[in-house]
Amino acid sequence: MRIRPAEPADLPGVLAIHTDAVANGVAIWTEVTPDLAEREAWLARHQEAGRVALVAIADGPDDALPEGTVLAYASYGPYATKEGYRHTVENSVYVHPEAQGRGLGKALLVELLDRATADGHHVMLALIEAENTASIALHTKLGFEQVGLLPEVGTKFGRWLDLAILRRPLA
């Protein structure tokens, strides 16, 4: 597996992972199926703002999927649009269902933390559905601290969702 900045040719793989997360999980709080144009706009926004979107690509026999397959993707973006939040970013990390449990999320998140620090950001946040204990554990292992819980602020699949807020200083 190798990690590198996402390229337009990676977007069908990114879309497949994103679509699965929308259809089958509660990490992304929408039930609207994404399309390739939305993922193209996502990548363009990151590139125009000078922020990286990363992919983990299968490159050997130890990977869960064939060589060249997008195994996972990650990015960070602004937490909020008001200028006072300009040094705070929020991360997103998603792993292909067949590649989970292999350390890809950790590898991508470590790279995001390094890049956000190098880019001069002060704090990274993770906004995680509160029952996603695997993601919360991963973030905690990498120095994030849970600083809040917002009960029943979202809904998906006919149920209310709680939002855990995790924070990690970057400097």
Side-chain angles (χ1 to χ4, degrees):
M1 179 265 315
R2 63 188 155 89
I3 295 174
R4 62 167 172 72
E7 301 169 356
D10 300 320
L11 291 176
V14 169
L15 176 61
I17 295 168
H18 194 83
T19 299
D20 180 75
V22 169
N24 298 307
V26 293
I28 301 172
W29 291 8
T30 183
E31 295 178 33
V32 176
T33 303
D35 61 20
L36 190 56
E38 185 275 331
R39 291 289 85 189
E40 289 168 343
W42 166 83
L43 182 58
R45 283 191 306 274
H46 280 78
Q47 291 173 334
E48 290 165 6
R51 294 186 310 268
V52 69
L54 301 170
V55 290
I57 303 293
D59 69 352
D62 292 337
D63 291 323
L65 296 164
E67 186 171 343
T69 302
V70 176
L71 300 171
Y73 75 94
S75 63
Y76 74 82
Y79 164 66
T81 58
K82 290 190 172 45
E83 184 181 336
Y85 295 106
R86 70 187 174 277
H87 300 294
T88 301
V89 293
E90 176 187 351
N91 76 67
S92 296
V93 179
Y94 298 96
V95 179
H96 191 289
E98 294 179 39
Q100 292 177 356
R102 297 174 173 264
L104 298 172
K106 179 180 180 183
L108 284 166
L109 187 51
V110 166
E111 182 70 20
L112 281 182
L113 289 164
D114 290 346
R115 289 179 181 249
T117 300
D119 289 345
H121 296 290
H122 182 67
V123 168
M124 183 175 282
L125 298 177
L127 306 178
I128 303 170
E129 196 279 323
E131 291 182 11
N132 187 344
T133 56
S135 184
I136 291 171
L138 167 64
H139 283 80
T140 301
K141 285 179 190 173
L142 293 177
F144 285 78
E145 175 185 9
Q146 186 166 333
V147 295
L149 179 69
L150 301 175
E152 298 183 357
V153 295
T155 185
K156 189 169 180 182
F157 303 137
R159 66 183 182 103
W160 289 105
L161 304 172
D162 300 342
L163 184 68
I165 303 168
L166 286 81
R167 174 188 179 272
R168 182 179 189 261
L170 296 172

